[in-house]
Coordinates of all heavy atoms in Angstrom, one line a residue:
A333 N 18.4 36.6 -3.1 CA 18.3 35.4 -2.4 C 19.6 34.6 -2.2 O 20.0 34.2 -1.1 CB 17.3 34.4 -3.1
R334 N 20.3 34.4 -3.3 CA 21.7 33.7 -3.3 C 22.7 34.4 -2.3 O 23.3 33.8 -1.5 CB 22.2 33.7 -4.7 CG 23.6 33.2 -4.9 CD 23.5 31.7 -5.2 NE 24.0 30.8 -4.2 CZ 23.9 29.6 -4.3 NH1 23.3 29.1 -5.4 NH2 24.3 28.8 -3.4
L335 N 22.7 35.7 -2.5 CA 23.6 36.5 -1.6 C 23.2 36.3 -0.1 O 24.2 36.2 0.7 CB 23.5 38.0 -1.9 CG 24.3 39.0 -1.2 CD1 25.8 38.7 -1.3 CD2 24.0 40.4 -1.6
S336 N 21.9 36.3 0.2 CA 21.5 36.1 1.6 C 22.1 34.8 2.2 O 22.5 34.7 3.3 CB 20.0 36.2 1.8 OG 19.4 35.0 1.2
Q337 N 22.1 33.7 1.3 CA 22.5 32.5 1.8 C 24.1 32.5 1.9 O 24.7 31.9 2.9 CB 22.1 31.4 0.8 CG 20.6 31.3 0.8 CD 19.9 31.2 2.1 OE1 20.0 30.2 2.8 NE2 19.2 32.2 2.5
D338 N 24.8 33.0 0.9 CA 26.2 33.1 0.9 C 26.7 33.9 2.2 O 27.7 33.6 2.8 CB 26.8 33.8 -0.4 CG 26.5 32.8 -1.5 OD1 26.2 31.7 -1.3 OD2 26.7 33.3 -2.7
F339 N 26.0 35.0 2.4 CA 26.3 35.9 3.5 C 26.2 35.2 4.9 O 27.1 35.3 5.7 CB 25.4 37.2 3.4 CG 26.0 38.4 4.1 CD1 26.4 39.4 3.3 CD2 26.1 38.5 5.5 CE1 27.0 40.6 3.8 CE2 26.7 39.6 6.0 CZ 27.1 40.7 5.1
A340 N 25.1 34.5 5.0 CA 24.9 33.8 6.3 C 25.9 32.7 6.5 O 26.5 32.5 7.6 CB 23.5 33.1 6.4
A341 N 26.3 32.1 5.4 CA 27.3 30.9 5.4 C 28.7 31.6 5.9 O 29.4 31.0 6.7 CB 27.4 30.2 4.2
A342 N 29.0 32.7 5.2 CA 30.3 33.4 5.5 C 30.3 33.8 7.0 O 31.4 33.8 7.7 CB 30.5 34.5 4.6
L343 N 29.2 34.3 7.5 CA 29.1 34.8 8.9 C 29.3 33.6 9.8 O 30.0 33.8 10.9 CB 27.7 35.5 9.2 CG 27.6 36.9 8.7 CD1 26.2 37.4 8.8 CD2 28.6 37.9 9.4
L344 N 28.8 32.4 9.5 CA 29.0 31.3 10.3 C 30.4 30.9 10.4 O 30.9 30.6 11.6 CB 28.1 30.1 9.8 CG 28.0 28.9 10.9 CD1 27.2 29.4 12.1 CD2 27.4 27.7 10.2
E345 N 31.2 31.1 9.4 CA 32.6 30.9 9.4 C 33.2 31.8 10.3 O 34.3 31.5 10.9 CB 33.2 31.0 7.9 CG 32.8 29.9 7.0 CD 33.4 28.6 7.5 OE1 34.6 28.5 7.8 OE2 32.6 27.6 7.6
E346 N 32.7 33.0 10.4 CA 33.2 34.0 11.4 C 32.7 33.8 12.8 O 32.9 34.7 13.6 CB 32.9 35.4 10.9 CG 33.4 35.8 9.4 CD 34.9 35.9 9.5 OE1 35.5 36.3 10.5 OE2 35.6 35.5 8.4
G347 N 31.9 32.8 13.0 CA 31.4 32.5 14.4 C 30.2 33.2 14.7 O 29.8 33.3 15.9
I348 N 29.4 33.7 13.7 CA 28.2 34.4 13.9 C 27.0 33.6 13.3 O 27.1 33.4 12.1 CB 28.2 35.8 13.3 CG1 29.4 36.6 13.8 CG2 26.9 36.6 13.6 CD1 29.5 36.8 15.3
Y349 N 26.1 33.1 14.1 CA 25.0 32.4 13.6 C 23.8 33.2 13.4 O 23.2 33.7 14.3 CB 24.8 31.2 14.6 CG 23.7 30.2 14.2 CD1 23.3 30.0 12.9 CD2 23.1 29.4 15.1 CE1 22.4 29.1 12.5 CE2 22.2 28.4 14.8 CZ 21.8 28.3 13.5 OH 20.9 27.4 13.1
V350 N 23.4 33.3 12.1 CA 22.2 34.0 11.7 C 21.6 33.3 10.6 O 22.2 32.4 10.0 CB 22.5 35.5 11.2 CG1 22.9 36.4 12.3 CG2 23.6 35.5 10.1
I351 N 20.4 33.6 10.1 CA 19.7 33.0 9.1 C 19.4 34.1 8.0 O 19.0 35.1 8.3 CB 18.4 32.3 9.5 CG1 18.6 31.3 10.7 CG2 17.7 31.7 8.4 CD1 19.3 30.0 10.3
G352 N 19.6 33.6 6.7 CA 19.2 34.4 5.6 C 17.8 34.0 5.1 O 17.6 32.8 5.0
F353 N 17.0 34.9 5.0 CA 15.6 34.6 4.5 C 15.3 35.1 3.1 O 15.8 36.2 2.8 CB 14.5 35.2 5.5 CG 14.5 34.6 6.8 CD1 15.2 35.1 7.9 CD2 13.8 33.4 7.1 CE1 15.2 34.6 9.1 CE2 13.8 32.8 8.3 CZ 14.5 33.4 9.4
Y354 N 14.6 34.4 2.3 CA 14.3 34.8 0.9 C 12.9 34.3 0.6 O 12.3 33.5 1.3 CB 15.4 34.4 0.0 CG 15.7 32.9 -0.1 CD1 15.2 32.1 -1.0 CD2 16.5 32.3 1.0 CE1 15.4 30.7 -1.0 CE2 16.7 31.0 0.9 CZ 16.2 30.2 -0.1 OH 16.4 28.8 -0.1
Y355 N 12.5 34.6 -0.6 CA 11.2 34.2 -1.1 C 11.0 32.7 -1.1 O 11.9 32.0 -1.4 CB 11.0 34.7 -2.6 CG 9.6 34.4 -3.2 CD1 8.5 35.1 -2.9 CD2 9.6 33.2 -4.0 CE1 7.3 34.8 -3.4 CE2 8.3 32.9 -4.5 CZ 7.2 33.7 -4.2 OH 6.0 33.4 -4.8
P356 N 9.9 32.1 -0.6 CA 8.6 32.8 -0.3 C 8.4 33.2 1.2 O 7.3 33.6 1.6 CB 7.6 31.6 -0.6 CG 8.4 30.4 -0.3 CD 9.8 30.7 -0.5
V357 N 9.5 33.1 2.1 CA 9.3 33.5 3.4 C 9.1 35.1 3.5 O 8.4 35.6 4.3 CB 10.5 33.0 4.2 CG1 10.3 33.5 5.7 CG2 10.6 31.5 4.2
V358 N 9.8 35.7 2.6 CA 9.7 37.2 2.5 C 9.5 37.6 1.0 O 9.6 36.6 0.2 CB 11.0 37.9 2.9 CG1 11.3 37.7 4.4 CG2 12.3 37.5 2.2
P359 N 9.0 38.7 0.7 CA 8.6 39.0 -0.7 C 9.8 38.9 -1.7 O 11.0 39.0 -1.2 CB 8.2 40.4 -0.7 CG 7.7 40.7 0.7 CD 8.6 39.8 1.6
K360 N 9.5 38.6 -2.9 CA 10.6 38.4 -4.0 C 11.5 39.8 -4.0 O 10.9 40.9 -3.9 CB 10.0 38.3 -5.3 CG 9.8 36.8 -5.7 CD 9.8 36.6 -7.2 CE 9.7 35.1 -7.5 NZ 8.4 34.7 -7.9
G361 N 12.8 39.6 -4.1 CA 13.7 40.8 -4.1 C 13.9 41.4 -2.8 O 14.4 42.5 -2.7
E362 N 13.5 40.7 -1.7 CA 13.6 41.4 -0.4 C 14.4 40.4 0.5 O 14.1 40.4 1.8 CB 12.3 41.8 0.2 CG 11.7 43.0 -0.4 CD 10.7 43.6 0.6 OE1 10.8 43.5 1.7 OE2 9.7 44.3 0.0
A363 N 15.3 39.6 0.0 CA 16.1 38.7 0.8 C 16.9 39.5 1.9 O 17.3 40.6 1.6 CB 17.0 37.9 -0.1
R364 N 17.1 38.8 3.0 CA 17.8 39.5 4.1 C 18.4 38.6 5.1 O 18.2 37.4 5.0 CB 16.7 40.3 4.8 CG 15.8 39.3 5.6 CD 14.4 39.9 5.9 NE 13.7 40.4 4.8 CZ 12.6 41.2 5.0 NH1 12.2 41.4 6.1 NH2 12.0 41.6 3.9
I365 N 19.2 39.2 6.0 CA 19.7 38.5 7.1 C 18.8 39.0 8.3 O 18.7 40.2 8.4 CB 21.2 38.7 7.5 CG1 22.1 38.4 6.3 CG2 21.6 38.1 8.8 CD1 22.4 36.9 6.2
R366 N 18.3 38.1 9.1 CA 17.5 38.6 10.2 C 18.4 38.4 11.5 O 18.7 37.3 11.8 CB 16.2 37.9 10.4 CG 15.4 38.4 11.6 CD 14.1 37.7 11.8 NE 14.2 36.3 12.2 CZ 13.2 35.5 12.6 NH1 12.0 36.0 12.5 NH2 13.4 34.2 12.9
V367 N 18.6 39.5 12.2 CA 19.4 39.4 13.4 C 18.4 39.6 14.6 O 17.5 40.6 14.5 CB 20.5 40.5 13.5 CG1 21.0 40.7 14.8 CG2 21.6 40.2 12.5
Q368 N 18.5 38.8 15.6 CA 17.6 38.9 16.8 C 18.6 39.2 18.0 O 19.4 38.4 18.3 CB 16.8 37.7 17.0 CG 15.7 37.5 15.9 CD 15.0 36.2 16.1 OE1 15.5 35.1 15.8 NE2 13.8 36.2 16.7
L369 N 18.4 40.3 18.6 CA 19.2 40.7 19.7 C 18.7 40.1 21.0 O 17.5 39.7 21.1 CB 19.2 42.3 19.8 CG 20.2 43.1 18.9 CD1 21.5 42.5 18.9 CD2 19.6 43.1 17.4
S370 N 19.6 40.0 21.9 CA 19.3 39.4 23.3 C 19.9 40.2 24.3 O 21.0 40.8 24.2 CB 19.7 38.0 23.3 OG 19.7 37.5 24.6
A371 N 19.3 40.3 25.6 CA 19.9 40.8 26.7 C 21.1 40.0 27.1 O 22.0 40.5 27.8 CB 18.9 40.8 27.9
A372 N 21.2 38.8 26.6 CA 22.4 37.9 27.0 C 23.6 38.3 26.2 O 24.7 38.0 26.6 CB 22.0 36.5 26.7
H373 N 23.5 39.0 25.1 CA 24.7 39.5 24.3 C 25.4 40.5 25.1 O 24.8 41.5 25.6 CB 24.3 40.1 23.0 CG 23.6 39.1 22.0 ND1 22.5 39.3 21.3 CD2 24.0 37.8 21.7 CE1 22.2 38.3 20.5 NE2 23.2 37.3 20.8
T374 N 26.8 40.4 25.2 CA 27.6 41.4 25.8 C 28.0 42.4 24.7 O 27.8 42.1 23.5 CB 28.9 40.8 26.3 OG1 29.6 40.2 25.2 CG2 28.6 39.7 27.4
R375 N 28.5 43.5 25.1 CA 29.0 44.5 24.2 C 30.0 43.8 23.2 O 30.0 44.1 22.0 CB 29.5 45.7 24.9 CG 29.9 46.9 24.1 CD 28.9 47.4 23.2 NE 27.7 48.0 23.7 CZ 27.5 49.3 23.9 NH1 28.5 50.1 23.6 NH2 26.4 49.8 24.4
E376 N 30.9 43.0 23.8 CA 31.9 42.3 23.0 C 31.2 41.5 21.9 O 31.8 41.4 20.8 CB 32.7 41.4 23.9 CG 34.1 42.1 24.3 CD 34.8 41.1 25.3 OE1 34.4 40.0 25.6 OE2 35.9 41.5 25.7
N377 N 30.2 40.7 22.3 CA 29.5 39.8 21.4 C 29.0 40.8 20.2 O 29.1 40.3 19.0 CB 28.3 39.2 22.0 CG 28.6 38.2 23.1 OD1 27.8 37.9 24.0 ND2 29.9 37.6 23.1
L378 N 28.4 41.9 20.6 CA 27.9 42.7 19.5 C 28.8 43.3 18.6 O 28.7 43.3 17.4 CB 27.0 43.9 20.1 CG 25.9 43.5 21.1 CD1 25.3 44.7 21.6 CD2 24.8 42.7 20.3
E379 N 30.0 43.7 19.2 CA 31.1 44.2 18.4 C 31.7 43.1 17.4 O 32.0 43.4 16.2 CB 32.2 44.8 19.2 CG 31.8 46.2 19.8 CD 32.7 46.7 20.9 OE1 33.5 46.0 21.4 OE2 32.4 47.9 21.3
Q380 N 31.8 41.9 18.0 CA 32.3 40.8 17.2 C 31.4 40.6 16.0 O 31.8 40.4 14.8 CB 32.4 39.5 18.0 CG 33.2 38.5 17.4 CD 33.2 37.2 18.2 OE1 33.2 37.2 19.5 NE2 33.3 36.0 17.5
A381 N 30.1 40.7 16.2 CA 29.1 40.4 15.2 C 29.2 41.6 14.1 O 29.2 41.3 12.9 CB 27.7 40.3 15.7
I382 N 29.2 42.8 14.6 CA 29.3 44.0 13.7 C 30.6 43.9 12.8 O 30.5 44.1 11.6 CB 29.2 45.3 14.4 CG1 27.8 45.4 15.0 CG2 29.5 46.4 13.6 CD1 27.7 46.3 16.3
N383 N 31.7 43.5 13.5 CA 32.9 43.4 12.7 C 32.8 42.3 11.7 O 33.3 42.5 10.5 CB 34.1 43.2 13.6 CG 34.5 44.4 14.4 OD1 34.2 45.5 13.9 ND2 35.1 44.2 15.6
A384 N 32.2 41.2 12.0 CA 32.0 40.1 11.0 C 31.1 40.5 9.9 O 31.4 40.3 8.7 CB 31.4 38.9 11.7
F385 N 30.0 41.3 10.2 CA 29.2 41.8 9.1 C 30.0 42.7 8.2 O 29.8 42.6 6.9 CB 28.0 42.6 9.7 CG 26.8 41.8 9.9 CD1 26.5 41.1 11.1 CD2 25.9 41.6 8.8 CE1 25.3 40.3 11.2 CE2 24.7 40.8 8.9 CZ 24.4 40.2 10.1
I386 N 30.9 43.6 8.8 CA 31.6 44.5 7.9 C 32.6 43.7 7.1 O 32.7 44.0 5.8 CB 32.4 45.5 8.8 CG1 31.4 46.4 9.5 CG2 33.4 46.3 8.0 CD1 31.9 47.4 10.5
K387 N 33.3 42.7 7.7 CA 34.3 41.9 6.9 C 33.6 41.2 5.7 O 34.0 41.3 4.6 CB 34.9 40.9 7.8 CG 36.0 40.0 7.2 CD 36.8 39.2 8.2 CE 37.6 38.1 7.6 NZ 38.1 37.1 8.5
V388 N 32.4 40.5 6.1 CA 31.8 39.7 5.0 C 31.1 40.6 4.0 O 31.1 40.4 2.8 CB 30.7 38.8 5.7 CG1 29.9 38.1 4.6 CG2 31.4 37.7 6.5
G389 N 30.6 41.8 4.5 CA 29.9 42.8 3.6 C 30.9 43.3 2.6 O 30.5 43.5 1.4
K390 N 32.1 43.5 3.0 CA 33.2 44.0 2.1 C 33.5 42.9 1.1 O 33.6 43.2 -0.1 CB 34.4 44.5 2.8 CG 34.1 45.9 3.5 CD 35.3 46.5 4.1 CE 35.1 47.9 4.6 NZ 35.9 48.3 5.8
K391 N 33.7 41.8 1.6 CA 34.1 40.6 0.8 C 33.1 40.4 -0.3 O 33.4 40.1 -1.5 CB 34.4 39.4 1.6 CG 35.1 38.3 0.9 CD 35.5 37.2 1.8 CE 34.6 36.0 1.7 NZ 34.8 35.0 2.8
L392 N 31.8 40.4 0.0 CA 30.8 40.1 -0.9 C 30.2 41.4 -1.6 O 29.2 41.3 -2.2 CB 29.6 39.4 -0.2 CG 30.0 38.0 0.4 CD1 28.8 37.3 1.1 CD2 30.6 37.1 -0.7
Q393 N 30.9 42.5 -1.4 CA 30.7 43.8 -2.0 C 29.3 44.3 -1.8 O 28.6 44.8 -2.7 CB 30.9 43.7 -3.5 CG 32.4 43.3 -3.8 CD 32.7 43.1 -5.3 OE1 31.8 42.9 -6.1 NE2 34.0 43.1 -5.6

Side-chain angles (χ1 to χ4, degrees):
R334 173 95 251 174
L335 178 61
S336 71
Q337 299 310 292
D338 293 346
F339 206 108
L343 281 173
L344 193 66
E345 286 301 308
E346 299 292 326
I348 307 298
Y349 185 18
V350 290
I351 302 287
F353 291 96
Y354 57 101
Y355 183 81
V357 179
V358 295
K360 271 207 173 100
E362 285 200 29
R364 71 202 52 193
I365 301 280
R366 180 178 71 173
V367 167
Q368 292 175 282
L369 281 310
S370 168
H373 293 134
T374 63
R375 186 52 68 94
E376 263 178 1
N377 293 157
L378 300 178
E379 282 168 353
Q380 194 183 327
I382 290 155
N383 289 335
F385 264 95
I386 292 172
K387 183 174 168 191
V388 173
K390 284 187 174 150
K391 196 170 101 192
L392 297 179
Q393 296 176 343

